[in-house]
Amino acid sequence: KGKLIATSYGVVLSKAEVAAEGDLPLLALDERPLIQFAGTCSEAGDVSIDADEKIVALRFKKAVVRLPVKAGQEHKLPARSEKGIELPSVLAKKIAYLSALAHADSSRPELCCVMLSGKRAISCSPKVFAMLSIDHEVTENAPIPLPLAKEMHAGDVLYPGKLNTTVISGIGRHCMPSLVKAVTDFPLGVVEKYAKTKRAALCTVSLDKLTNMVAQCDSILSVIAKIEIVLCFTLSKGRLA
């Protein structure tokens, strides 16, 4: 029906569609040589695909890749009836940032996410938690699994759900089972308790200077230290060390 459809199924079920002419049976191919072949193709020009019972050949100008084929398996994405959240650039950056701080150990799957709750986006690990405000208000707590949260881009549409979480990004749709345990066990109460702790400003420092200072310490210490690096700050006579 005028479309070439590719699906990939691992931790995430992904599906993409592009316009195409012709007919091709459902095939299973190793994606690694396909990715390498795609790197040799420019945006302008067509790729031709020929297949028989054993070999599929993809050609772009003088570049050719031939791959053995197996019987393909159809993977269907779940239908979504609810309205998705279209991610503006600021929200996409916040979710991607929080994903870098989130717990990533499968022993605590309820923490391996970025949690949307109310008008907040939250992530935590045994060493740090972060909470950022968002413009969109979520009526039910929605944990975004890390593999999806790490790849958020402006313009993506997010469909958080009780059974699965879906992201539409460009020509692709990506789906993962929702983290059911995170809905009940994510430590929102602890995060809110820390958020209400009284605190006072100690100093005001230029962001550029602070960033440069931390980056220099990291570049020096990371060469000689193979373990985790901890920086200690001291404030004396108007100077931060």
Side-chain angles (χ1 to χ4, degrees):
K1 299 180 179 179
K3 295 179 181 178
L4 178 67
I5 302 170
T7 62
S8 174
Y9 184 48
V11 175
V12 180
L13 170 59
S14 297
K15 189 171 187 176
E17 297 181 3
V18 295
E21 297 177 5
D23 189 35
L24 191 68
L26 183 61
L27 304 174
L29 302 173
D30 185 350
E31 70 172 11
R32 289 169 294 183
L34 281 178
I35 293 172
Q36 294 174 350
F37 173 73
T40 67
C41 304
S42 63
E43 290 291 332
D46 296 332
V47 174
S48 65
I49 305 175
D50 300 301
D52 56 30
E53 295 180 355
K54 295 182 179 181
I55 297 293
V56 61
L58 294 90
R59 293 180 175 83
F60 179 79
K61 297 182 178 178
K62 294 183 178 180
V64 182
V65 60
R66 293 180 175 86
L67 303 172
V69 302
K70 296 181 180 180
Q73 182 178 353
E74 186 174 358
H75 299 286
K76 292 185 178 181
L77 289 168
R80 308 306 302 238
S81 58
E82 70 276 20
K83 185 178 180 181
I85 304 170
E86 186 168 347
L87 302 181
S89 176
V90 173
L91 180 53
K93 288 180 179 178
K94 286 183 177 181
I95 293 174
Y97 167 75
L98 290 171
S99 71
L101 304 179
H103 192 71
D105 186 346
S106 58
S107 65
R108 294 293 304 275
E110 69 275 16
L111 301 183
C112 300
C113 65
V114 175
M115 177 66 77
L116 301 184
S117 177
K119 300 189 74 172
R120 307 166 300 175
I122 305 164
S123 70
C124 66
S125 73
K127 297 179 181 178
V128 63
F129 75 85
M131 179 168 64
L132 301 177
S133 62
I134 59 177
D135 292 332
H136 185 92
E137 185 167 5
V138 180
T139 55
E140 295 184 355
N141 292 341
I144 308 172
L146 278 190
L148 298 179
K150 289 179 178 180
E151 300 297 332
M152 291 296 179
H153 300 91
D156 290 355
V157 182
L158 172 67
Y159 293 86
K162 293 181 179 179
L163 297 179
N164 49 68
T165 301
T166 301
V167 173
I168 297 178
S169 181
I171 64 170
R173 289 177 288 167
H174 314 277
C175 182
M176 275 190 72
S178 293
L179 302 176
V180 178
K181 196 174 182 182
V183 176
T184 56
D185 291 4
F186 194 86
L188 285 173
V190 176
V191 173
E192 291 169 353
K193 179 182 177 181
Y194 278 110
K196 294 176 182 177
T197 303
K198 291 183 179 181
R199 49 192 178 272
L202 295 177
C203 68
T204 301
V205 60
S206 163
L207 177 61
D208 291 340
K209 290 181 179 179
L210 179 63
T211 302
N212 186 47
M213 180 170 65
V214 173
Q216 287 199 38
C217 287
D218 180 64
S219 64
I220 295 169
L221 294 174
S222 61
V223 174
I224 60 174
K226 300 302 181 183
I227 58 176
E228 184 179 22
I229 297 168
V230 178
L231 298 183
C232 299
F233 295 93
T234 57
L235 182 65
S236 176
K237 298 180 181 179
R239 295 186 67 81
L240 181 68

